[in-house]
């Protein structure tokens, strides 16, 4: 035991030494001293280079003849102002290396020193790339220009580096090629250095300067011709209005908070620069106004001003930058690639094979069976679908429809069919429909549905293509208008495949910025395959370890969290004077909403709850209440729900659920009672299974028979793998934290401060120094996953360092300074 303690102490000592070393080098005093030393060295080398122009000729022979060891021990005498070492360094930089371009090295070193001393906030990476590029270009340029004068001077203006490169280029591409190469390199460097380069070059190449000068001459010519020579106003001094020629008024360049909004750091930085430039322009305009105000007035009170003001060249660019384009919600994942169609398997061609002999035989058998019961048929027509054929019959006058409906079993017996379904009458038609299963049913592939023109060209907000109808048309609906969906069916009849088809069709049309899924899976196996797209498409509670909800208590917390999200979204809609999420997002995209007031782009959220009956059995009223609230009013704010169950009885599908879920899908069920529970009509008990379903969409009077598209598990895995391999958001879409009636957080479990994370102390210091309680900050600084960063934030909250979770806002930091923090950390040890 003693050995383990000793080893632990040694480890702690090693870590503390490393922290002390790290703190020493990151200390502000150390940084300032380092920057000061670099600045002094820069000045010394600069003096050496300047002195080289005056003393280099005399020192050159002394440096070349004295060994390096003698120079180090200072046994030589030189004329350079900085001594032997400075003379040697100047000769090295000026003659042997880069020539007079070596001053760019001092430019970069000076920037480093100023940065460390906190005198400026330039980007050292950009400064380094610019200095390196100009160092090489300048060396070659001066060597090329003065290549014929090297023999007559002691200075190589381009250095030996430039001399060799320019000679090599002239031998390979000639003098014209070398000139073009140098000019091209200079323009490329200028384009990367300044944003004004491209407009300037466009103006030069398009002869814009010539056009502008001609326009000015045209404007000036008629004015001089039409102006009388000695015309003055009677009894007044000549009055000249102030000639102010800005290209855009100042009030157009002022960025109002509610007019433009920003999302990315680049846009915020850009807006800050524009604001600074706008302030400078306001001062400029104020000076003009002041001069006008101070000017002498005429008899009628008009100001006698005789000057002309021109806006500086950069003002036009500033005005153009102020007019930001529309906000692009896809910008953060601009390189996201939607899943290609070849990830889906091809089962059918979309064309149904017609067996004429089978059709004729069935038509004859139906007609014969009805005539046996005294029902005469005027005409019969067949429509072949992928799994079922619809026979439309027109009975003769006087035949009661109910009499035909009672013959379902007799017709099925005569046709040797498992199940037939009679639709009497057909909606919108004067016929009676008899649906008979095909002897050789076809599989409807998801590929044929997604690749169809109807799906590719649709303009639905949330398009769902779920299969093909009995007339072999792709059946689609807009989940936004549904707005919620109830899916029920017996075990093994295609319910899970149907859910995968809904999810797949949405993944093929909606970008991760526009759609999020909340998946609740008590069976733990249905939706686990979608875990790989957590940071693309999934939404979850802030401290959830898994993106797929599997525990009943977590399901209750997640659904209640969705209720909070719904209420928060309604508050945003009210403040934006928008009626629904579509109007709100249009305003946000056109930058008419201010994110500083809490506004944000709202993605659609689709909550899918599988095995709803199991959740009702375990949670009962707790799970039904948030579902009812979401189903009742969440449509306008873009939250939609899909409930799935394999036990469609009245205890599960209650009257409250049915009233809030007008759109329903029924796969094959065992009894007519179950069919009425789901659809309020019979027929689901007459389906043949294997994806055969009846779907009732809001607004339709009768359910439509559809063969569900088949999407196999390997196909879903390929789609998820394709999405998961791409660049994703830092975390999943975080829902608001829900605290239950007992005060428990949304995820069960308490925080034990005796078992703190090894990064606890460092994370606490980071939070206090930055005064920002952000999980993403911890995740970024320490390069850890979101789950660990979330647990760290929970521990910081339990220790009283940060406040409670506040939705999308950063937590409040409760410790004001490092001294108070150290006292708290010592008390925890």
């Amino acid at each position: 035991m003693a050995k383990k303690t000793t080893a632990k102490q040694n480890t702690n000592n090693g870590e503390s030494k490393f922290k002390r070393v790290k703190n020493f080098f990151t200390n502000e005093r150390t940084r300032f001293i380092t920057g000061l030393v670099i600045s002094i060295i820069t000045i010394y080398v600069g003096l050496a280079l300047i002195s080289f122009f005056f003393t280099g000729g005399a020192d050159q022979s002394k440096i070349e003849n004295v060994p390096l060891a003698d120079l180090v021990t200072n046994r030589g005498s030189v004329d350079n102002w900085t001594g032997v070492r400075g003379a040697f360094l100047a000769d090295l930089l000026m003659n042997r290396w880069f020539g007079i371009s070596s001053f760019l090295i001092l430019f970069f070193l000076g920037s480093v020193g100023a940065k460390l001393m906190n005198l400026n906030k330039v980007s050292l990476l950009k400064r380094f790339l610019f200095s390196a590029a100009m160092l090489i270009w300048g060396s070659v340029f001066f060597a090329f220009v003065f290549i014929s004068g090297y023999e007559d001077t002691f200075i190589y203006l381009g250095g030996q580096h430039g001399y060799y490169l320019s000679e090599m280029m002239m031998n390979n591409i000639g003098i014209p090629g070398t000139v073009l190469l140098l000019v091209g390199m200079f323009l490329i460097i200028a384009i990367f250095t300044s944003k004004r380069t491209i407009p300037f070059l466009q103006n030069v190449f398009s002869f814009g300067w010539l056009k502008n000068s001609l326009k000015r001459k045209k404007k000036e010519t008629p004015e001089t011709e039409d102006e009388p020579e000695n015309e003055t106003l009677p009894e007044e001094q000549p009055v000249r209005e102030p000639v102010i020629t800005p290209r855009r008024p100042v009030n157009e360049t002022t960025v109002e908070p509610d007019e433009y909004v920003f999302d990315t750091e680049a846009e915020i930085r850009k807006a800050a620069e524009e604001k600074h430039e706008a302030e400078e322009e306001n001062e400029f305009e104020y000076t003009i106004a002041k001069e006008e105000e101070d000017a002498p007035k005429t008899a009628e009170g008009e100001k006698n001003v005789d000057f002309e003001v021109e806006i500086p060249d950069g003002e036009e660019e500033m005005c153009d930058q102020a007019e930001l384009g529309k906000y692009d919600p896809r910008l953060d994942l601009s390189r996201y690639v939607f899943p290609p169609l070849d990830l889906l398997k091809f089962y059918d061609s979309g064309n149904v094979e017609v067996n004429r002999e089978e059709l004729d035989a069935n038509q004859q058998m139906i007609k014969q069976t009805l005539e046996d019961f005294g029902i005469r048929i005027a005409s019969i027509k067949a429509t072949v679908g992928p799994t079922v054929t619809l026979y439309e019959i027109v009975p003769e006058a006087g035949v009661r429809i109910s009499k035909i409906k009672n013959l379902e079993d007799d017709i099925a017996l005569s046709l040797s069919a498992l199940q037939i379904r009679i639709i009497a009458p057909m909606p919108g038609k004067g016929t009676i429909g008899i649906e008979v299963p095909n002897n050789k049913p076809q599989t409807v592939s998801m590929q044929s549905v997604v690749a169809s023109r109807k799906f590719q060209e649709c303009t639905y907000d949330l398009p769902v293509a779920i299969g093909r109808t009995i007339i072999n048309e792709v059946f689609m609906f807009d989940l936004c208008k549904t707005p919620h969906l109830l899916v029920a069916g017996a075990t093994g009849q295609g319910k899970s495949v149907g859910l995968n088809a809904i999810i797949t069709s949405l993944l093929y049309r909606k970008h991760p910025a526009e759609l999020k899924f909340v998946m609740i899976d008590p069976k733990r196996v249905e939706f686990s395959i979608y875990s790989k797209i957590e940071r693309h498409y999934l939404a979850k509670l802030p401290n959830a370890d898994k993106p797929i909800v599997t525990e009943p208590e977590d399901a209750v917390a997640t659904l209640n969290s969705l209720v909070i999200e719904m209420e928060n979204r309604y508050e945003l809609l009210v403040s934006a004077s928008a009626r629904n999420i579509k109007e709100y997002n249009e305003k946000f995209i056109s930058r008419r909403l201010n994110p500083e007031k809490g506004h944000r782009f709202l993605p659609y959220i689709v909550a899918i709850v599988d095995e709803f009956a199991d959740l009702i059995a375990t949670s009962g009223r707790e799970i039904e209440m948030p579902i009812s609230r979401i189903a009742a009013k969440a449509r306008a704010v873009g939250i939609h729900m899909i409930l799935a169950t394999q036990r469609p009885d009245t205890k599960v599908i209650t009257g409250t659920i049915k009233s809030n879920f007008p759109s329903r899908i029924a796969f094959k069920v065992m009894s007519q009672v179950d069919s009425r529970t789901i659809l309020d009509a019979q027929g689901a008990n007459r389906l043949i299974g294997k994806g055969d379903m009846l779907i009732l969409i809001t607004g339709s009077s009768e359910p439509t028979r559809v063969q569900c598209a088949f999407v196999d598990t390997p196909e879903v895995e390929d789609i998820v793998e394709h999405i998961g391999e791409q660049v994703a958001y830092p975390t999943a879409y975080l829902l608001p934290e829900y605290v239950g009636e007992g005060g428990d957080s949304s995820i069960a479990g308490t925080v034990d401060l005796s078992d703190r994370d090894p990064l606890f102390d460092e994370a606490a210091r980071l939070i206090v120094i930055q005064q920002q309680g952000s999980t993403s900050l911890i995740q970024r600084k320490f390069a850890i996953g979101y789950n660990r960063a979330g647990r760290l934030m929970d521990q910081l909250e339990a220790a009283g360092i940060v406040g409670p979770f506040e939705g999308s806002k950063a937590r409040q930091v409760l410790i004001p300074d490092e001294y108070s923090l150290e006292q708290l950390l010592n008390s925890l040890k």
Side-chain angles (χ1 to χ4, degrees), residues 351-368:
N351 299 319
V352 179
E353 297 180 2
V354 179
N355 189 331
R356 179 57 59 185
E357 294 180 359
E358 181 182 347
L359 291 179
D360 293 340
N362 286 342
Q363 286 178 351
Q364 188 64 32
M365 194 65 66
I366 291 172
K367 189 175 182 180
Q368 183 64 45

Side-chain angles (χ1 to χ4, degrees), residues 145-157:
V145 173
F146 300 100
I147 194 167
S148 60
Y150 275 99
E151 296 82 1
D152 302 328
T153 180
F154 66 92
I155 300 178
Y156 284 3
L157 293 179

